[in-house]
Each structure stands twice: as C-alpha cells, then as structure tokens.
Amino acid sequence: MSKFSEKVLGIVKSVPYGKVVSYGQVALMAGIPRAAIQVGWVLHTSGHLVPWWRVINNSGRISIKHPEHTTHMQKALLEKEGVKVTKDFRIDIDNYRYRPSISEIENLSLDPQYIENLSEKYNL
DNA sequence: ATAATGACATGTT
DNA sequence: TAACATGCCATTA
C-alpha cells in the first residue's frame, strides 16, 4: 500500500456525513494535484473501508463507469444522508462540498502552495 | 524498462 | 449542455 493510497483513504474517511468531495480535491489534498484518476483507483480497490460514495467528480455527477448497480447504489447512499441527487445523477456540489478546516489541512502536512491552490479552487 | 489501463480534470469545440 | 482531446500518475502486465 503506497503512501498515496493511505492519504487518500485518510482524507475520504474525514469527509463528514452529508458532504461530498471531488476526486481532484482529494488528489490535491493528498499532495498530488493531478492524480484524480488514481483516487478513483484507490477507492476501487480499497473503497470498502471508507465512505467512497461521498466522492464524486468535479462537475457534480456520479460518473462511475461500472455498469448498473454501483451508480444507483451511490445515489441511494447519498440520498440517505440528505444529499439531493437528480434522476440523471447531478448533485449541487457547491452546496454540499466538504471544505476542510485549517487544522485538518495542517494535519495533512501539505506544501503551502497546495494549500493556496485549495483555497483558490474551492473557496475555503 | 516500456506500454496500457483507469470509479478523473480541464480546456476547447 | 455534451463530446472530444490532452494531461496525469499509480498500478499492472
């Protein structure tokens, strides 16, 4: 298990009930800004340990390629937490996005430039 | 070591 | 809004 995987799992675990994050945001918080797809890989392989359904893509959609069940299951899981998901799997991500606190960001021991990126991109 | 694969992001049509 | 192209990097073959 790589450090990247451990960080990703830790971050996803810290996403509170009823909130969501984007793959890109998780990647950035893990210290590798453009590794969004690797976040997906980690969740795919080790996702049973963490609230993977709170991770969606940055356009506010559930874009899991896996046919059938998983997308519907994710929709159901999110709705159970009070997150509105439309029939075509759209989510108001700005409204539901998890914005980590300063202390949580410091916990990740990120480079200062990444912290700046975070606040710029996601309006922390 | 190289090449292919992916639960993605971003910018351009 | 959607579709396409390119960039990215951990993992696997």
Side-chain angles (χ1 to χ4, degrees):
Chain A
M1 192 115 89
S2 65
K3 287 189 178 168
F4 175 76
S5 305
E6 292 173 15
K7 278 197 170 187
V8 168
L9 293 176
I11 291 163
V12 175
K13 264 190 268 188
S14 76
V15 178
Y17 183 98
K19 295 285 179 181
V20 300
V21 286
S22 70
Y23 291 93
Q25 183 181 349
V26 174
L28 181 53
M29 290 170 70
I32 305 181
R34 288 159 212 166
I37 199 169
Q38 282 65 38
V39 173
W41 182 88
V42 171
L43 295 181
H44 181 63
T45 60
S46 317
H48 48 91
L49 312 163
V50 299
W52 55 267
W53 57 91
R54 292 176 194 150
V55 184
I56 63 180
N57 73 25
N58 200 38
S59 27
R61 304 179 111 165
I62 299 173
S63 69
I64 294 176
K65 299 294 204 240
H66 256 290
E68 320 275 320
H69 307 48
T70 42
T71 54
H72 295 287
M73 186 162 82
Q74 181 166 13
K75 179 175 185 286
L77 286 165
L78 285 171
E79 286 176 332
K80 203 171 86 178
E81 303 191 345
V83 178
K84 284 184 188 175
V85 184
T86 63
K87 302 170 219 163
D88 49 338
F89 303 102
R90 289 166 189 255
I91 296 169
D92 185 354
I93 188 168
D94 286 327
N95 193 23
Y96 292 111
R97 181 186 304 277
Y98 164 51
R99 291 176 169 81
S101 66
I102 301 294
S103 61
E104 282 173 302
I105 291 177
E106 285 176 347
N107 239 333
L108 300 169
S109 54
L110 281 177
D111 288 343
Q113 60 176 109
Y114 294 155
I115 297 177
E116 202 175 325
N117 282 350
L118 271 173
S119 35
E120 267 187 37
K121 285 191 152 189
Y122 306 115
N123 263 316
L124 296 187

